[in-house]
């Protein structure tokens, strides 16, 4: 099972601030993902990456941006946080390859509150 | 495009009782199906997955799920629920684009 870490776990910040949510995995997985989850709701994919220097937008439109400069690191940035960005952000990774091995493993999440 | 429906938003069972959480999927080809569990304030933990072969899949924590193609279902079961099983449960399917699509989740409450 993947070891995947997210920091911070909780963040309360004022409107207009720039924030970066960190996600790292130690399993050498090629694929990484960011999901947004509002309380009591399902997860929606907002960004994914299939490898270094590869990033794509997911099904749910998001004002955030991501980068993938290193295999193990997939940070998410909001240039100017707004209350509408208040949510839980979950990072995941998978090994890729055949679908039978492409299981996603999740980090603990970052709960973001923008005042 | 694929989709997942979890008809039960909230289920309450007594400790020691059996549990079944329903999941229906929509996907044209052979689906790859997952059940994840999320405790409050935590990320998702993989309970079990189905790719092919035996339609009854065993997972962690005593959970199992049965794939029924004729009913487009992948229901999660546990014969005897423990108080620590209280959490939210998500069913998910991987489609042709290799993306996970999640259901809206079922919140499980366990009564003492």
């Amino acid at each position: 099972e993947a070891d995947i870490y997210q920091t911070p776990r909780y963040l309360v910040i004022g409107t207009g601030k720039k924030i970066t949510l960190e996600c790292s995995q130690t399993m050498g997985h090629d694929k990484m993902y960011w999901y947004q989850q509002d309380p009591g709701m399902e997860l929606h994919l907002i960004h994914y990456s299939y490898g270094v220097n590869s990033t794509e937008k997911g099904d749910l439109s998001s004002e955030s941006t991501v980068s993938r400069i290193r295999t193990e690191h997939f940070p998410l940035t909001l240039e100017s946080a707004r209350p509408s960005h208040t949510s839980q952000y979950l990072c995941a990774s998978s090994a890729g390859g055949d679908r039978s091995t492409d299981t996603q493993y999740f980090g603990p999440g970052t709960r973001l509150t923008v005042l | 495009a694929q989709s997942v429906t979890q008809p039960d938003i909230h289920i309450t069972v007594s400790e020691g009782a059996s549990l079944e959480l329903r999941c229906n999927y929509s996907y044209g080809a052979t689906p790859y199906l997952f059940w994840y569990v999320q405790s409050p304030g935590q990320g998702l933990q993989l309970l079990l997955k189905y790719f092919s072969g035996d339609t009854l899949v065993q997972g962690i924590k005593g959970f199992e799920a049965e794939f029924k193609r004729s009913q487009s279902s992948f229901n999660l079961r546990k014969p005897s629920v423990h108080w620590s099983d209280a959490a939210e449960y998500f069913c998910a399917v991987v489609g042709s684009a290799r993306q996970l699509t999640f259901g809206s989740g079922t919140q499980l409450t366990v009564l003492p």
Side-chain angles (χ1 to χ4, degrees):
Chain A
E1 196 166 313
D3 290 324
I4 183 164
Y5 309 98
Q6 291 186 244
T7 57
R9 292 292 313 279
Y10 302 92
L11 179 62
V12 180
I13 201 162
T15 297
K17 299 292 186 182
K18 177 180 178 179
I19 60 169
T20 296
L21 308 184
E22 302 288 349
C23 176
S24 296
Q25 49 94 5
T26 60
M27 299 302 290
H29 284 173
D30 285 329
K31 294 184 174 181
M32 296 189 73
Y33 313 80
W34 276 104
Y35 292 85
Q36 185 174 341
Q37 182 187 28
D38 291 328
M41 304 296 287
E42 68 258 47
L43 284 74
H44 292 285
L45 182 68
I46 52 175
H47 297 285
Y48 61 97
S49 166
Y50 284 175
V52 171
N53 294 325
S54 153
T55 61
E56 302 286 345
K57 290 188 179 294
D59 300 329
L60 182 67
S61 176
S62 174
E63 294 168 345
S64 59
T65 59
V66 292
S67 62
R68 189 88 182 277
I69 299 173
R70 303 198 315 265
T71 297
E72 65 272 21
H73 196 212
F74 191 41
L76 180 146
T77 299
L78 278 166
E79 290 293 334
S80 180
R82 294 206 299 268
S84 60
H85 297 139
T86 294
S87 189
Q88 175 158 253
Y89 294 84
L90 290 163
C91 182
S93 71
S94 68
D98 183 82
R99 281 209 290 173
S100 64
T101 61
D102 202 14
T103 299
Q104 292 185 29
Y105 297 95
F106 286 79
T110 294
R111 186 168 296 279
L112 172 66
T113 302
V114 184
L115 302 176
Chain B
Q2 65 272 14
S3 66
V4 175
T5 301
Q6 294 181 245
D8 304 306
I9 296 173
H10 195 181
I11 283 184
T12 300
V13 299
S14 297
E15 191 169 18
S18 63
L19 172 70
E20 181 169 29
L21 302 182
R22 295 184 291 164
C23 171
N24 293 99
Y25 68 89
S26 173
Y27 183 61
T30 300
Y32 283 14
L33 295 157
F34 302 80
W35 275 99
Y36 287 88
V37 60
Q38 185 178 34
S39 298
Q42 301 297 314
L44 274 69
Q45 182 181 20
L46 179 68
L47 283 177
L48 48 79
K49 57 187 177 183
Y50 170 78
F51 290 133
S52 64
D54 193 347
T55 56
L56 185 62
V57 180
Q58 301 297 321
I60 63 171
K61 304 185 179 185
F63 285 93
E64 66 178 26
E66 186 171 13
F67 170 63
K68 293 185 177 180
R69 184 186 299 276
S70 61
Q71 298 177 19
S72 296
S73 68
F74 188 56
N75 294 348
L76 182 71
R77 300 195 294 250
K78 187 169 185 178
S80 178
V81 171
H82 188 263
W83 63 266
S84 60
D85 293 325
E88 186 145 26
Y89 292 79
F90 290 93
C91 182
V93 63
V94 171
S96 55
R98 308 286 292 275
Q99 304 296 346
L100 264 179
T101 297
F102 286 88
S104 55
T106 297
Q107 182 68 46
L108 174 65
T109 297
V110 180
L111 300 177

